[in-house]
Amino acid sequence: MKPPLKIGIAGLGTVGAGTLRLLRENSALLARRAGRALVVTAVSARSRARERGIDLTGLRWEDDPAALAAAPDIDAVVELIGGSEDPARALVTAALERGKHVVTANKALIARHGAELARLAEKRGVALAFEAAVAGGIPILKALREGLAANNVRRIYGILNGTCNYVLTTMRESGREFGDVLGEAQRLGYAEADPSFDIDGIDSAHKLALLAAVAFGTEVDFDGVHVEGIRHVSALDIEFAAELGYRIKLLGLARPTEHGLEQRVHACMVPRAAPIAHVEGVFNAVVVEGDFVGRIMLEGRGAGAEPTASAVVADLLDVAGGRSTTSFAVPASQLKAAERAPMARHRGAYYVRLMVLDRPGVIADVAAALRDEQVSMEQMIQRGRAPGGAVPVVLTTHEAEEAAMRRALDRIARVETVIETPRMIRVENL
Ligand SMILES: NC(=O)c1ccc[n+]([C@@H]2O[C@H](COP(=O)([O-])OP(=O)(O)OC[C@H]3O[C@@H](n4cnc5c(N)ncnc54)[C@H](OP(=O)(O)O)[C@@H]3O)[C@@H](O)[C@H]2O)c1
């Protein structure tokens, strides 16, 4: 048997503790699969005194995570601290500089500095692996790099944030409003005390930027992602979605278009017949459409100690077995800068909900605004009657350009009898 792979782990929170536990509980299986033992030699976190529910006896403790990068008895550094900047960035950079393999679950770091770190890894001939950074336990990066590598990817999309999917699923099942469901999710521990990273789509955007880079061989372009969250989705929208045959999901979608690479994260109307419409609760899913393979969907747990540890240790197995492939499916030196498709050029169908005063002529005014911007209406529903009072009106459009739709919405908002800002949700053809 080959000598063991010696591992240093920085960060012993949810994922770090889960990783340590998996490495221990499945050690015999891992050694058999890698042809060598995977052994943790040193660990680092902020507080040495913190009770973590794991036995750290026999492991060297480093107060400074950077010490793991310098340690001669470490072959691979596992970075599970988080955050796009130091200390995570400094640790990963130093470890790669010193010729150590790096495995990380840190989407923020890779979304911001992925191309630069991958080039450094390549220069030093070591691995930079981050399967756990995208959709937790779902092995989507490996699928893209290996099993689907023969395909041109036409489109990739997914439910990339379990908190948002849980909130939207619970809203649909219970008919309750966003704020109410989010509050409950926070009490149950499904949402963070500060949920904005999840709810406003940033976490999904980090993951989408990584998926797009691997799927299309472009440099990670997080700033090129159009990002919207789910705060504006109301119980009424969810009810109308059901009536129209849709479910509302927060999706991250990326595809090459004639205007460049389109990357967007926002609430979508998803046809109920689409497999991804049935991915519920905290589950994540990623769909890849390849030119030869067709459509493939992977579904699973996108977060949590155990699923995330599963992905971290799979990367360590590749390192141990010498099977490390390029981080982004093509050599880092060949990653092309992504040409950004402006969101204004996006083409798609739209759902619009208005609150209007129930007076004659309102519908004609709304229809005129759409017509003047060459947006063609597919259907319109007016719910109930309240002469002189407010009623919801919902319409869907045929495919239109985003810029035209935005102009039409501005005009509709100025119609005197439209009493709230129109709500718009994009309808996806999945
Ligand atoms: N949680 C998930 O389900 C999940 C899923 C996929 C990816 N990830 C990613 O995995 C990474 C870790 O997430 P997590 O949920 O495990 O976070 P966490 O529970 O907050 O743990 C973070 C760990 O990093 C340590 N740490 C923080 N600042 C440090 C510093 N300045 N120096 C040394 N150690 C420091 C903390 O030390 P103390 O324990 O002493 O405070 C803690 O052990 C993040 O990049 C996250 O995005 C998480």
Side-chain angles (χ1 to χ4, degrees):
M1 226 185 200
K2 285 195 279 181
L5 179 79
K6 288 172 275 166
I7 299 164
I9 301 182
L12 293 173
T14 306
V15 183
T19 299
L20 208 48
R21 195 158 67 75
L22 195 165
L23 285 168
R24 279 190 185 142
E25 285 184 20
N26 289 358
S27 63
L29 171 83
L30 300 174
R32 215 163 61 238
R33 294 208 162 135
R36 63 198 288 204
L38 276 63
V39 176
V40 179
T41 47
V43 294
S44 176
R46 221 167 4 198
S47 155
R48 194 165 187 166
R50 184 175 156 191
E51 176 48 51
R52 304 173 189 279
I54 40 167
D55 184 5
L56 298 177
T57 320
L59 303 178
R60 190 169 75 252
W61 178 278
E62 299 285 3
D63 284 323
D64 179 4
L68 301 177
D73 62 348
I74 289 176
D75 307 312
V77 168
V78 180
E79 184 278 304
L80 301 170
I81 295 173
S84 63
E85 303 306 324
D86 297 346
R89 185 182 180 191
L91 168 62
V92 169
T93 308
L96 295 173
E97 290 276 13
R98 289 182 171 256
K100 296 191 194 309
H101 303 286
V102 170
V103 172
T104 179
N106 190 337
K107 50 222 145 193
L109 174 73
I110 303 298
R112 283 279 173 209
H113 308 294
E116 162 201 327
L117 294 171
R119 279 194 279 266
L120 177 56
E122 216 161 273
K123 208 161 101 193
R124 297 280 183 256
V126 290
L128 169 68
F130 44 86
E131 182 67 69
V134 182
I138 302 177
I140 181 61
L141 299 185
K142 202 174 182 58
L144 285 168
R145 280 197 319 259
E146 298 180 18
L148 301 173
N151 289 265
N152 281 297
V153 176
R154 300 294 190 212
R155 178 165 68 165
I156 185 161
Y157 58 90
I159 293 175
L160 302 173
N161 184 273
T163 304
C164 289
N165 207 40
Y166 172 83
V167 168
L168 291 172
T169 302
T170 308
M171 285 176 73
R172 185 178 61 75
E173 287 171 350
S174 66
R176 284 150 58 204
E177 286 294 354
F178 171 80
D180 184 18
V181 173
L182 177 62
E184 182 188 80
Q186 286 172 309
R187 283 192 297 282
L188 292 172
Y190 294 146
E192 301 282 338
D194 175 4
S196 56
F197 212 64
D198 294 318
I199 295 303
D200 295 325
I202 299 153
D203 176 70
S204 297
H206 280 148
K207 296 169 185 166
L208 181 70
L210 299 190
L211 281 175
V214 177
F216 303 114
T218 47
E219 287 195 359
V220 191
D221 183 21
F222 171 67
D223 291 329
V225 184
H226 173 88
V227 192
E228 297 171 20
I230 60 166
R231 289 183 199 270
H232 64 291
V233 177
S234 70
L236 198 54
D237 294 320
I238 289 182
E239 213 181 299
F240 275 118
E243 201 172 320
L244 294 163
Y246 296 109
R247 284 192 181 161
I248 299 179
K249 297 287 182 191
L250 182 78
L251 297 187
L253 308 100
R255 63 175 174 176
T257 72
E258 56 181 316
H259 307 295
L261 178 64
E262 186 177 90
Q263 300 183 85
R264 49 197 171 94
V265 169
H266 52 72
C268 297
M269 290 277 173
V270 175
R272 208 164 32 219
I276 203 165
H278 301 276
V279 175
E280 298 279 52
V282 296
F283 277 79
N284 285 22
V286 182
V287 177
V288 182
E289 292 172 357
D291 54 355
F292 274 67
V293 75
R295 180 170 74 185
I296 277 201
M297 180 167 101
L298 295 180
E299 177 185 1
R301 292 188 185 277
E306 294 174 358
T308 313
S310 158
V312 168
V313 178
D315 278 345
L316 282 171
L317 275 177
D318 278 349
V319 168
R323 287 189 302 273
S324 301
T325 49
T326 48
S327 309
F328 289 101
V330 296
S333 54
Q334 285 175 33
L335 287 170
K336 304 179 297 250
E339 196 185 324
R340 290 179 191 170
M343 195 58 196
R345 306 302 299 270
H346 166 71
R347 287 193 67 80
Y350 296 83
Y351 155 100
V352 177
R353 179 172 59 77
L354 310 169
M355 291 303 287
V356 303
L357 292 178
D358 189 6
R359 284 192 207 145
V362 186
I363 302 298
D365 290 344
V366 170
L370 290 167
R371 181 204 58 213
D372 291 351
E373 297 299 342
Q374 269 97 52
V375 176
S376 138
M377 201 175 354
E378 188 195 22
Q379 56 179 323
M380 181 181 269
I381 307 173
Q382 178 177 341
R383 175 73 67 76
R385 293 264 0 238
V391 288
V393 167
V394 157
L395 60 91
T396 56
T397 73
H398 291 292
E399 203 170 277
E401 192 170 79
E402 175 102 359
M405 192 64 216
R406 293 261 171 214
R407 285 194 302 272
L409 286 174
D410 285 347
R411 294 173 79 126
I412 291 170
R414 289 198 299 271
V415 171
E416 203 197 327
T417 41
V418 172
I419 59 170
E420 278 178 17
T421 309
R423 304 295 181 91
M424 178 271 275
I425 298 178
R426 297 177 191 83
V427 179
E428 292 304 323
N429 178 14
L430 303 178

